[in-house]
Amino acid sequence: MRTRTGFRSVLAAGVLLAGTASPAGAQSMRDVQQAAEARGLTTADLLAAAKTFTPTGMKDEYIIFSSGGHSGQVFVIGVPSMRLLRTIAVFTPEPWQGWGYGVGEEILADGDVNGQPNRWGDTHHPALSETNGDYDGQFLFINDKANARVAVIDLRDFETKQIVKNPLIINDHGGTFVTPNTEYVIEGAQYSTPWAQEYAPIHEYREKYKGSVTMWKFDREKGRIDESQSFAIELPPYWQDLSDAGKLVSDGYMFLNSINTELATGGIENKKPPFEAGVSMNATDYLHIIDWHKAEKVYKAGKTMEVNGFPVIPLNVVIEEGLLYLTPEPRSPHGVDVTPKGDFLVVAGKLDPHVTVYSFAKIKDAIANQTFSGKDDFGVPVLDFDSVVEAQVEVGLGPLHTQFGPDGYAYTSLFLDSAVARWTLGGPYASGHSEPDWTLVHKTPVHYNVGHIGAAEGDTVSPDGKYLVSYNKWSVDRFFPTGPLLPQNFQLIDISKQGSEMPVIYDMPIGVGEPHYAQIIKADKLDPWTVYPEIGWDPQTQAVDPWAPRPKMERVERKDDHTVEVYMTAVRSHFTPEHVVVKEGDKVIWRITNIERAVDATHGFCVPQFDINLSLEPGETATFEFIADEPGTYPYYCTEFCSALHLEMMGYFLVEPRE
Ligand code: K7E
Ligand code: CUA
C-alpha cells in the first residue's frame, strides 16, 4: 500500500543525493524527485525502476522461453526489462510469422491426430537443450498436453522444425524435459487411457487403461527427434505428472511424480466421488524412479512389444529388469525438481504445507538393499519412505514447483499462499548461506496464485541466482481491466541478496496466452542468425534450396496443361515478376526468395482469396502450392512495411477463366 511515508522517503533520498551533487546534478535529482512525487512512487519503486528500466539499445541479460498454454505458442521475453521480444509459432498457425498459410503446413500436418488437423496446442513445459546438464542454447522442446505432441524449435532462427505426435497416448504433462546431454526428450503421460486411442469402458480402467513415459531420441546433428530410435516405458495406470531427469550423481535416472494412484474414475453424476475427491483420497501417491540408462539397454535388446507401431517396454519387463521403483509422496504431489548437484529431489504436495526432499544416495541404497515397504497393486516395489527422505521443510500452503539458486537456496511457488518461498538446502549446500539447513528463510507475496517459477538457469547444474520470475495465474487488480478476461502476471523478483530481502521489481502483464513453465537462459549463450546464412535458404531443411529463385532467373513457366511454376524474387521495393498469369484450375507451384542481405529487411507476401501469407526473412526461400480454382484478378503484395515504396511492392495474379 502506498503511504505518504513513501513520498517523504523519496524526498529524503533526493535531498540527500542533491546535497552531494553538482548544481546540474542537483537539478536533475530534483526532476527525478518531482516526477516520482507526481506519480506517487516510493524510493523502493525508484530502485526497482533503476534495476529494470532498459533504455533504447541496451540489451537484456537473460532470455525467458515461456510456454504459451493453450495459445499453443512459445513466448520470448527479456530479463530484466520484461519486454516481450517475440512469439514463436508452434502448434498454432500465426499470420505475422507466416506460419501455416502456405509455409509450415507440412510440419503442422505431422502433428495431425489420426488424420484430423488440430491447429492449436496446450503448451506447458519448455525444455532448453543441455550439454553436461547446462543449457547450451541450441534447441528448445515443448509439449502439447491436449494431444500428446512434442515440438522441436531451432534456436538459430527461433522457428519450429518438427512436431511429433505420440502414437500411444492422448495427453502428456510430464514433459518436455531433457536428459543432461539431450540424449532424450522425455514425455510423461497424464490422464490414463487405453493405448493408441482405443475404446474401453471406464469400468475396465484397471486392466485396459495405461500409464507411460516416452523417450524421444534426439539427433543433435539433424536437429530432429529420431522416431526410429525412440521408445516408451509402460507404467501403472496412475496419472504420471511432472518429471525431471537426474544429473551429475543421479545421471541415468529420471523421476516422475504422479497423482491418482487411487485409480479413481470419477462419475459425480452417478453419485461416485468426483475426480477432485477421488484423486486426492490417499495420503500419498507415488514418485516414480526410473533407470533410463538401463531402460535404453532393455529397449536395444528388443525386450519390447509393439503398440501402434511403436516399441514399448511392457510393465512386467519393467519390473523384472528393475527399471522402476516407487516411493510415497505426500498429499497430491505436483512438481519434482532435481537439485543442481543431482543429489536431492524436491517434491511438493499441493495439499501439504511441506516440500519433501529425497536423497538420491538413500534411494540408491534402498534399491541395493531392497528396503521395500511393499509392492503396489501392479507388483512394482515401493521403497520405504523414511529410508529415502532426507528432510521435510514447511514452506506454506499449496507448494507447486521448485527452482534453485547458486548459494544453497531453493525457491518454491506457493499457489494458495500467493507467495514464493526461499528455503535452504542442507548438506553440501550449507556453506552458501548463513541460515541453518532445511529452513524456510523468507516468503515474498506475489499477485496472485503463482503456478511455476523460473530462476535464471535455475534448473541447471549451475544456477545463476540474481533473478526469479513468478509466473502468476491471476492478476485480479494489478492492471487496467481488459474486460472479464484478464492477463496473467509475470513478476520479476530480485534474488541477488541473501536472507529476507527478495523484492518484486517488475510486473509484466502477459495478455497473449496462459503460460505454465518457462526457462531462463543467459542471453550470451544464444547465438541466433541475424540473416539466413545464404540466399535461397530453406528454414525447414536449414539448407540452401537448389530450386530457390535467384535474380535473373525469375519467370512463370508452364509445365503442362494444368501446372504452372512461378520463380519470384523479393527485394526492396519490388517482386519480380509483377504479372503472374495462369488458367483457371491450374496447380500453381510458387517459389519465392527474399534476396536481401540487410538485417531486418523482411518482406511479407500475401495472395488474397487463396489463403497465402508468408514472412520472408533476409535470404529465405519458400515454396507453396495451391489450385487456382477461382478465376479473377488478385493483387499480391508485401505485408511488411519494408521501405518508402512498400505500398508499391505488389503485382497482379491473373486467373483466366477456362472455356
Ligand atoms: Cu504446474 Cu502444467 Cu507445470 Cu501449470 S503445470 S502451473
Ligand atoms: Cu517488401 Cu513491403
Coordinates of all heavy atoms in Angstrom, one line a residue, residues 570-575 594 596 601-605 637-643 645-649, ligand 2:
A570 N 12.1 -11.3 -54.2 CA 11.6 -10.1 -53.5 C 12.8 -9.3 -53.0 O 13.7 -9.9 -52.4 CB 10.7 -10.5 -52.3
V571 N 12.8 -8.0 -53.2 CA 13.8 -7.1 -52.8 C 13.1 -5.7 -52.7 O 12.2 -5.5 -53.4 CB 15.0 -7.1 -53.7 CG1 14.7 -6.5 -55.0 CG2 16.3 -6.5 -53.0
R572 N 13.7 -4.8 -51.8 CA 13.1 -3.5 -51.7 C 13.1 -2.8 -53.1 O 14.2 -2.7 -53.7 CB 13.8 -2.6 -50.7 CG 13.3 -2.9 -49.3 CD 14.3 -2.4 -48.3 NE 15.5 -3.2 -48.3 CZ 16.6 -2.9 -47.6 NH1 16.6 -1.9 -46.8 NH2 17.7 -3.7 -47.7
S573 N 12.1 -2.4 -53.8 CA 10.7 -2.5 -53.4 C 9.9 -3.1 -54.5 O 8.9 -2.6 -55.0 CB 10.1 -1.1 -53.1 OG 10.9 -0.4 -52.2
H574 N 10.3 -4.3 -54.9 CA 9.5 -5.0 -55.9 C 9.6 -6.5 -55.9 O 10.6 -7.0 -55.4 CB 9.9 -4.5 -57.3 CG 11.4 -4.6 -57.6 ND1 12.3 -3.6 -57.3 CD2 12.1 -5.7 -58.1 CE1 13.5 -4.0 -57.6 NE2 13.4 -5.3 -58.0
F575 N 8.6 -7.1 -56.4 CA 8.6 -8.5 -56.7 C 8.9 -8.6 -58.2 O 8.4 -7.8 -59.0 CB 7.2 -9.2 -56.4 CG 6.8 -9.2 -55.0 CD1 5.8 -8.4 -54.5 CD2 7.5 -10.0 -54.1 CE1 5.4 -8.4 -53.1 CE2 7.1 -10.0 -52.7 CZ 6.1 -9.2 -52.3
N594 N 13.5 -14.1 -50.8 CA 13.9 -12.7 -50.4 C 15.4 -12.6 -50.5 O 16.2 -13.3 -49.8 CB 13.5 -12.5 -48.9 CG 13.9 -11.2 -48.4 OD1 14.7 -10.5 -49.0 ND2 13.5 -10.8 -47.2
E596 N 17.4 -10.2 -50.0 CA 18.1 -9.2 -49.1 C 19.2 -9.8 -48.3 O 19.1 -10.9 -47.8 CB 17.0 -8.6 -48.2 CG 15.8 -7.9 -48.9 CD 16.0 -6.5 -49.2 OE1 17.1 -5.9 -48.9 OE2 15.1 -5.9 -49.7
A601 N 15.5 -6.8 -43.0 CA 14.8 -6.5 -44.3 C 13.9 -7.6 -44.6 O 14.1 -8.4 -45.6 CB 15.8 -6.2 -45.4
T602 N 12.9 -7.8 -43.8 CA 11.9 -8.8 -44.0 C 10.8 -8.3 -45.0 O 10.4 -7.2 -44.9 CB 11.3 -9.2 -42.7 OG1 12.3 -9.8 -41.9 CG2 10.1 -10.2 -42.9
H603 N 10.4 -9.2 -45.9 CA 9.2 -8.9 -46.8 C 8.1 -9.9 -46.4 O 8.4 -11.0 -46.1 CB 9.6 -9.0 -48.2 CG 10.6 -8.0 -48.7 ND1 10.3 -6.7 -48.8 CD2 11.9 -8.2 -49.0 CE1 11.4 -6.1 -49.2 NE2 12.4 -7.0 -49.3
G604 N 6.9 -9.4 -46.4 CA 5.8 -10.3 -46.3 C 5.3 -10.6 -47.7 O 5.7 -9.9 -48.7
F605 N 4.4 -11.6 -47.9 CA 3.9 -11.8 -49.2 C 2.5 -12.5 -49.0 O 2.4 -13.5 -48.3 CB 4.8 -12.8 -50.0 CG 4.2 -13.2 -51.3 CD1 4.3 -12.3 -52.4 CD2 3.6 -14.4 -51.5 CE1 3.7 -12.6 -53.6 CE2 3.0 -14.7 -52.7 CZ 3.1 -13.8 -53.8
Y637 N 0.8 -8.7 -52.6 CA 1.5 -7.5 -52.1 C 2.4 -7.9 -50.9 O 2.2 -9.0 -50.3 CB 0.6 -6.3 -51.8 CG -0.3 -6.5 -50.7 CD1 0.1 -6.1 -49.4 CD2 -1.6 -7.0 -50.8 CE1 -0.8 -6.2 -48.3 CE2 -2.4 -7.2 -49.7 CZ -2.0 -6.7 -48.5 OH -2.9 -6.9 -47.4
C638 N 3.3 -7.0 -50.6 CA 4.2 -7.2 -49.4 C 3.5 -6.7 -48.2 O 2.9 -5.5 -48.2 CB 5.5 -6.4 -49.7 SG 6.5 -6.4 -48.2
T639 N 3.4 -7.5 -47.1 CA 2.7 -7.2 -45.9 C 3.5 -6.5 -44.9 O 3.0 -6.1 -43.8 CB 2.0 -8.4 -45.4 OG1 3.0 -9.4 -45.3 CG2 0.8 -8.9 -46.2
E640 N 4.8 -6.4 -45.1 CA 5.7 -5.8 -44.1 C 6.1 -4.4 -44.6 O 6.6 -4.3 -45.8 CB 7.0 -6.6 -43.9 CG 6.9 -7.8 -43.1 CD 7.3 -7.6 -41.6 OE1 8.0 -6.7 -41.3 OE2 6.8 -8.5 -40.8
F641 N 6.0 -3.4 -43.8 CA 6.3 -2.0 -44.3 C 7.8 -1.9 -44.4 O 8.5 -1.5 -43.5 CB 5.7 -1.0 -43.4 CG 5.5 0.3 -44.1 CD1 4.2 0.8 -44.4 CD2 6.6 1.1 -44.6 CE1 4.0 2.0 -45.1 CE2 6.4 2.3 -45.3 CZ 5.1 2.7 -45.6
C642 N 8.3 -2.3 -45.6 CA 9.8 -2.5 -45.7 C 10.6 -1.4 -46.2 O 11.8 -1.3 -46.1 CB 10.0 -3.7 -46.6 SG 9.2 -3.5 -48.2
S643 N 9.9 -0.4 -46.8 CA 10.6 0.7 -47.5 C 9.7 1.8 -47.8 O 8.5 1.7 -47.6 CB 11.2 0.2 -48.8 OG 10.2 -0.2 -49.6
L645 N 8.8 2.8 -50.5 CA 7.9 2.5 -51.7 C 7.3 1.1 -51.4 O 7.0 0.3 -52.4 CB 8.6 2.5 -53.0 CG 9.1 4.0 -53.3 CD1 9.9 4.0 -54.6 CD2 8.0 4.9 -53.4
H646 N 7.1 0.8 -50.1 CA 6.5 -0.5 -49.8 C 5.1 -0.7 -50.4 O 4.8 -1.8 -50.8 CB 6.4 -0.6 -48.2 CG 5.3 -1.4 -47.7 ND1 5.4 -2.8 -47.6 CD2 4.1 -1.0 -47.2 CE1 4.2 -3.2 -47.1 NE2 3.4 -2.2 -46.8
L647 N 4.3 0.4 -50.4 CA 2.9 0.2 -50.9 C 3.0 -0.2 -52.4 O 2.0 -0.8 -52.9 CB 2.2 1.5 -50.8 CG 1.8 1.9 -49.3 CD1 1.1 3.2 -49.3 CD2 1.0 0.8 -48.7
E648 N 4.0 0.2 -53.1 CA 4.2 -0.2 -54.5 C 4.7 -1.6 -54.7 O 4.8 -2.1 -55.8 CB 5.1 0.8 -55.2 CG 4.5 2.2 -55.3 CD 4.6 3.1 -54.1 OE1 5.0 2.6 -53.0 OE2 4.2 4.3 -54.1
M649 N 5.1 -2.2 -53.6 CA 5.7 -3.6 -53.7 C 4.5 -4.6 -53.9 O 4.0 -5.1 -52.9 CB 6.5 -3.9 -52.5 CG 7.4 -5.2 -52.7 SD 8.6 -5.3 -51.4 CE 9.3 -6.9 -51.8
Ligands
CUA2 CU1 8.6 -5.5 -49.0 CU2 7.0 -4.1 -48.0

